[in-house]
Amino acid sequence: MAVAIGVTAVLLLTALGEGAKRYVTGQFAGMGTNLVIVLPGRTETFGVGSGISGGTRDLTLEDCEALLRRCPAVVDVAPVTVGTASVEFGGLHRDVLVAGSTAAYARMRDLHASAGQLLPPGDPRRGEPVVVLGSKVRREIFGSDNPLGRSVRLARARFRVIGVLEPKGQSLGFDFDELVLVPVGQAMRLFNQSGLFRIMTQAASAQDVAGAQKQIRAVLADRHRDEDFTLVTQDAMLKSFRSIIDALTLALAGIAAISLAVAGIGIMNVMLVSVSERTAEVGLLKAMGAGRRQILALFLAEALLLSALGAAAGLTLGLVLMRLASGVFPGFTVEPSLAWTAAVVTLALTAGGLFGLSPARRAAGMPAVDALRGKR
């Protein structure tokens, strides 16, 4: 029983850890692929006197154009600015997150229109006052009515609805269904902003991300006369999340594995009782010619068999619990890892063998005459 509980615990905890890594990876994939994001300002800690460089310059639309023109490894650039505003129509209103960007934003975020169109291409400074509604915003403001061509008010400015986003749900806490997209120039005027919230760039492939990062740094440092910005890649964020999850998984699996050591002590006690009760049997085997190694192997095999049965029960119970967890949380896949399954079974058998060794050696070391007399 103790072996089964230990195996189940290790298996479940490692499966949850692997599931968490898959979930985080999926969430990052939903945000786009091969992205290098430029943030204004540096996140590093500076020394005394290093701040005398004129401060941080805003990221601008001109920076976006320079990146697209001078960085061969960059295939797409999307300026992003954000703000919150109230969207109003027909006496209904609700606060929404407004993202100002260009047509590239939808491509990089893998957004699609369920009705109408997405933001049109063109000069980002001269975008028309048009808006693309998230699916939830559209449902709450317009209900079953067709919103295309209607005018809504965003922060008291009129915008014409040109499209509705397909439902996409949340990704890393960001709900695309509650998003409202407007041209970046309109958003900057709407929120009276002089700089961008960030610049999203996309490399052609995962292999090009490092090259794109190097080129972006060189172009922006040349334009700003200083490296007053921060580059963030998806890989860097993903590695950080994975390393944290791996550390937590290992720690929890280690704690759970302690129960296997306790189970090994239980097996040792069971085998000691078995040896004590079967003293006459051991004597008879020796009288019939069984050697020390054969007696040792017999009791070791019993200890290993007990461990194997416990491991099998633990595996079965673990798989059942994983199936139940996947049914309760359909968006979070909990599957056993082959490597962790092999490791925990090996650990259970090793614990059984090690803790069964002492009783086995005790049985093998009994003198035949004393054993036949039942002398323990």
Side-chain angles (χ1 to χ4, degrees):
M1 179 61 76
V3 174
I5 293 173
V7 169
T8 301
V10 174
L11 207 61
L12 265 182
L13 290 173
T14 54
L16 286 172
E18 294 295 324
K21 280 199 292 187
R22 281 191 293 271
Y23 179 78
V24 170
T25 303
Q27 293 288 301
F28 271 95
M31 299 291 286
T33 55
N34 309 324
L35 299 182
V36 180
I37 301 170
V38 186
L39 308 177
R42 298 186 68 172
T43 58
E44 300 174 14
T45 302
F46 293 86
V48 176
S50 59
I52 314 174
S53 57
T56 300
R57 292 183 58 179
D58 288 338
L59 297 174
T60 63
L61 295 174
E62 288 73 20
D63 288 332
C64 297
E65 292 169 343
L67 291 177
L68 196 56
R69 189 173 59 251
R70 295 169 57 184
C71 298
V74 174
V75 295
D76 227 344
V77 176
V80 180
T81 184
V82 297
T84 57
S86 176
V87 57
E88 303 174 26
F89 177 80
L92 297 176
H93 65 89
R94 64 160 295 176
D95 292 335
V96 294
L97 179 67
V98 180
S101 190
T102 61
Y105 182 81
R107 292 195 296 270
M108 296 165 74
R109 293 294 199 195
D110 195 27
L111 300 176
H112 302 278
S114 62
Q117 65 176 86
L118 299 170
L119 292 179
D123 188 343
R125 300 170 190 79
R126 300 182 179 177
E128 295 181 13
V130 294
V131 61
V132 179
L133 303 178
S135 60
K136 187 174 180 181
V137 177
R138 179 257 185 199
R139 187 172 61 252
E140 294 185 359
I141 296 296
F142 288 95
S144 58
D145 294 342
N146 183 6
L148 299 182
R150 304 283 186 89
S151 291
V152 297
R153 285 189 176 275
L154 271 179
R156 300 188 181 280
R158 281 183 175 277
F159 282 79
R160 180 169 53 88
V161 179
I162 61 169
V164 178
L165 294 174
E166 281 184 355
K168 189 177 175 71
Q170 292 191 2
S171 182
L172 293 176
F174 185 82
D175 194 345
F176 285 96
D177 297 342
E178 296 186 354
L179 182 67
V180 166
L181 282 176
V182 299
V184 63
Q186 290 287 342
M188 293 178 76
R189 284 190 286 275
L190 193 68
F191 299 116
N192 193 26
Q193 295 171 340
S194 59
L196 298 172
F197 174 61
R198 62 186 59 183
I199 297 175
M200 294 177 57
T201 66
Q202 188 172 38
S205 65
Q207 292 72 28
D208 291 330
V209 169
Q213 198 173 357
K214 188 176 180 181
Q215 293 170 7
I216 293 167
R217 178 175 286 110
V219 170
L220 290 182
D222 178 54
R223 286 181 54 81
H224 292 200
R225 305 301 179 194
D226 191 13
E227 192 171 322
D228 57 351
F229 52 86
T230 301
L231 301 183
V232 179
T233 65
Q234 283 178 301
D235 283 345
M237 291 188 286
L238 198 54
K239 282 179 183 175
S240 299
F241 275 110
R242 281 179 169 169
S243 61
I244 292 171
I245 294 172
D246 282 342
L248 287 174
T249 302
L250 281 173
L252 292 173
I255 293 171
I258 294 174
S259 61
L260 289 176
V262 177
I265 295 173
I267 289 175
M268 183 174 69
N269 290 332
V270 169
M271 293 305 299
L272 284 172
V273 172
S274 176
V275 169
S276 178
E277 292 178 346
R278 294 160 61 189
T279 303
E281 179 185 338
V282 173
L284 183 60
L285 288 173
K286 288 199 169 186
M288 294 175 65
R292 177 185 174 86
R293 289 186 177 181
Q294 290 172 304
I295 301 294
L296 187 72
L298 174 66
F299 282 91
L300 268 181
E302 288 187 17
L304 289 173
L305 181 61
L306 284 174
S307 298
L309 290 174
L315 285 176
T316 304
L317 181 60
L319 291 173
V320 170
L321 292 177
M322 285 180 210
R323 182 66 62 88
L324 290 174
S326 297
V328 174
F329 306 103
F332 189 86
T333 306
V334 183
E335 293 178 348
S337 159
L338 187 61
W340 275 108
T341 303
V344 72
V345 170
T346 303
L347 190 60
L349 293 177
T350 302
L354 288 175
F355 285 96
L357 185 60
S358 176
R361 291 180 64 181
R362 180 176 176 181
M366 288 182 179
V369 176
D370 291 345
L372 282 172
R373 289 175 179 170
K375 188 176 181 180
R376 301 173 182 173

